[in-house]
Amino acid sequence: MRDSFGDLRELLTFHARSEKAGDVLDWESAARELGVRSLPADYREFVTAYGGGSIEDNIGINVPASADTAYAGPIKWLSVERSGGDSAVRSASRPAAPAELLRWGATIGADGLYWVAVDADPDRWPVAVWGRGDAKWTVFDRGMAGFLVGMLRAEFAFCPLTDESLWGAGGARFLHAEDELRMDEAGFDAWE
């Protein structure tokens, strides 16, 4: 998989009302908390530069629960419960999940964005999308940043998300979740 974080930085700007940029994490503790060796480098770069929040109020980027942020969308496992060695299936209603899936985001259309976390090297984890609209899994041989670049540039044969508003948009704005919360508390919608 190619490193696409540089490409993503060219396509993603901060929302005009942004005050916060990035989240500070102890990445070793975050990996331990999730039971993995590490998290993908492009994701760590993204969270350090941007943080947890929203791309055009369409794609939400989750952060580890240990992040020093008010954002309430933690990364979590889908296919198996990782705590205490329990391997009970968490969601039997989703057919034929590709493998162990670690959720890093979600969309306004209720699509799930995951890493297929089976390779020992997290930089080789492809992205899997649970498309709520078509009720199927699609796996992309790209990391998180590469997937987002592919969406913004329409580089796939089809748009894998239910809401197609970012498909081929060529660029987008990012707003940290804390900024969005601050604006909501002040009584206005950041995205209008």
Side-chain angles (χ1 to χ4, degrees):
M1 281 184 266
R2 63 181 189 217
D3 173 26
S4 299
F5 183 68
D7 290 339
L8 183 59
R9 284 190 80 122
E10 292 175 12
L11 300 173
L12 199 59
T13 60
F14 282 101
H15 188 290
R17 296 183 176 132
S18 289
E19 292 181 8
K20 181 168 171 77
D23 287 321
V24 177
L25 276 100
D26 175 343
W27 289 107
E28 288 181 17
S29 293
R32 235 183 348 267
E33 161 190 317
L34 292 164
V36 296
R37 188 184 80 171
S38 180
L39 289 164
D42 64 337
Y43 172 77
R44 293 190 319 264
E45 288 178 289
F46 183 95
V47 171
T48 300
Y50 295 94
S54 177
I55 299 172
E56 292 294 341
D57 200 27
N58 186 298
I59 296 177
I61 307 297
N62 298 354
V63 294
S66 60
D68 183 23
T69 182
Y71 188 55
I75 290 178
K76 58 187 175 185
W77 289 97
L78 171 70
S79 63
V80 296
E81 179 62 52
R82 302 283 290 201
S83 62
D86 181 7
S87 61
V89 174
R90 292 183 103 181
S91 180
S93 65
R94 294 191 179 197
E100 288 197 60
L101 299 167
L102 191 55
R103 184 178 183 152
W104 57 265
T107 73
I108 195 166
D111 304 308
L113 306 173
Y114 302 84
W115 289 296
V116 181
V118 294
D119 197 294
D121 180 358
D123 293 329
R124 296 177 51 88
W125 293 349
V127 167
V129 176
W130 169 253
R132 182 175 176 266
D134 58 8
K136 72 176 188 176
W137 290 99
T138 308
V139 178
F140 296 88
D141 192 25
R142 296 179 180 216
M144 182 201 86
F147 173 77
L148 294 172
V149 167
M151 279 296 303
L152 292 170
R153 291 183 176 163
E155 294 177 346
F156 310 128
F158 61 93
C159 178
L161 304 181
T162 302
D163 182 308
E164 296 183 3
S165 60
L166 292 178
W167 179 245
R173 299 169 298 165
F174 177 84
L175 183 63
H176 194 283
E178 289 182 19
D179 286 332
E180 191 163 1
L181 180 61
R182 175 182 50 79
M183 289 180 232
D184 285 346
E185 289 172 351
F188 63 93
D189 183 346
W191 297 103
E192 288 188 359

